[in-house]
Amino acid sequence: MNILDRNVSWAADRSVRELIVLLGGVTLCTVEWTRIGGPDIGNFLVYVGATALFASRFYLARAVAVGACIGAIVQQWPHLRYGSSAADLETTAVLPVLAIALLCSRDLVARFDRGESRWSWLPNPWTGFTTSETRTLRWSCYAAGALGGLLDHTFQIAPYFAQTPTWPRVAMVAIICMIGLLGLGRAVGLLGIWAVGLWTAVALAPHLGAAERAIAGDLGGLDPAFWGGPHYVLPMFLLALTAVVVATPSAVRLIRRV
């Protein structure tokens, strides 16, 4: 057994790996709260929520933490398209990558994703799925969650240039609902993620060419709603396609059953 996966008796039989994750979560919360200029409340709440879920041994805690790390990396991806240096990538990606490496262990998967729920009133429905099926559930959530984060970032600044379109907000709410369904073991959520991913990809496709030209300085032909974030369009489109690809096999099976 890996030394990181050994239980520590004085810590309610948590593993060394779990204690490191919890220490990292508390550190992130503290650093964010004491940041000069004040904390980013959104980031702070994500850190607190992920740490609290992990501390309570909620069955989805590991997956939520990995999703938060992937989201942190993906949110930097659009900015790198403007020529940010390798040092910027190293600064913004190293910690999330290290955290993912720590979280993606068979032991933690067995303790959380595939383990019995520590909350008696909310049993872990993922134990009824195969390893392959739970992998699909996780990666569908990761892709859709990252897409939702980029949609939010893109259209937060849209009101400065034009009226915010309605469809991104509807898509974000739908993504949240579908992830919630998957967390509760409702496979129909995969069909929802497939539909939202396809809808988003179709909505973004007409803007790809103009957005790529806008990155080079030519705003001609670009929808004003994207003026503040043309560098987000291609990453969002690719994430939407990823969500569709991951969810398609399960969505097809669900449709056949109907």
Side-chain angles (χ1 to χ4, degrees):
M1 179 184 290
N2 190 316
I3 189 173
L4 293 179
D5 298 327
R6 292 180 179 175
N7 285 358
V8 179
S9 58
W10 53 263
D13 284 329
R14 296 182 190 275
S15 68
V16 175
R17 191 186 300 269
E18 285 182 86
L19 294 179
I20 294 173
V21 172
L22 288 172
L23 178 60
V26 171
T27 301
L28 278 176
C29 294
T30 303
V31 170
E32 184 63 40
W33 186 255
T34 58
R35 189 172 63 172
I36 296 175
D40 181 310
I41 296 300
N43 286 344
F44 178 72
L45 291 177
V46 169
Y47 298 152
V48 170
T51 304
L53 287 177
F54 209 89
S56 65
R57 289 183 167 178
F58 181 53
Y59 66 89
L60 288 178
R62 192 203 67 87
V64 169
V66 172
C69 292
I70 291 175
I73 295 171
V74 167
Q75 286 176 15
Q76 301 306 318
W77 175 19
H79 301 290
L80 296 174
R81 307 191 67 218
Y82 274 126
S84 298
S85 67
D88 294 332
L89 177 61
E90 183 177 328
T91 300
T92 55
V94 166
L95 283 179
V97 168
L98 289 176
I100 290 173
L102 185 66
L103 288 162
C104 289
S105 77
R106 291 181 180 179
D107 180 70
L108 286 187
V109 170
R111 289 173 185 259
F112 287 85
D113 307 41
R114 307 289 299 165
E116 293 297 326
S117 175
R118 299 302 180 96
W119 298 8
S120 58
W121 55 273
L122 184 61
N124 181 3
W126 285 22
T127 57
F129 296 104
T130 66
T131 301
S132 176
E133 288 171 336
T134 55
R135 188 181 300 114
T136 298
L137 293 175
R138 288 197 304 267
W139 280 102
S140 296
C141 290
Y142 296 157
L147 172 61
L150 288 193
L151 283 169
D152 181 58
H153 274 236
T154 303
F155 293 99
Q156 275 183 347
I157 53 181
Y160 291 102
F161 303 99
Q163 184 176 358
T164 305
T166 301
W167 70 264
R169 297 298 181 190
V170 175
M172 283 188 287
V173 172
I175 285 171
I176 292 171
C177 293
M178 294 308 107
I179 290 176
L181 285 174
L182 291 179
L184 294 174
R186 302 295 186 266
V188 69
L190 286 170
L191 182 59
I193 282 182
W194 179 86
V196 174
L198 182 61
W199 173 24
T200 302
V202 170
L204 290 172
H207 304 284
L208 287 172
E212 292 304 293
R213 292 191 296 272
I215 294 176
D218 178 13
L219 290 175
L222 181 65
D223 188 320
F226 293 99
W227 282 358
H231 50 306
Y232 282 95
V233 177
L234 179 59
M236 288 191 297
F237 178 76
L238 294 177
L239 282 171
L241 285 184
T242 299
V244 170
V245 170
V246 172
T248 291
S250 297
V252 170
R253 286 195 294 270
L254 286 170
I255 292 173
R256 285 178 176 174
R257 289 177 187 175
V258 176

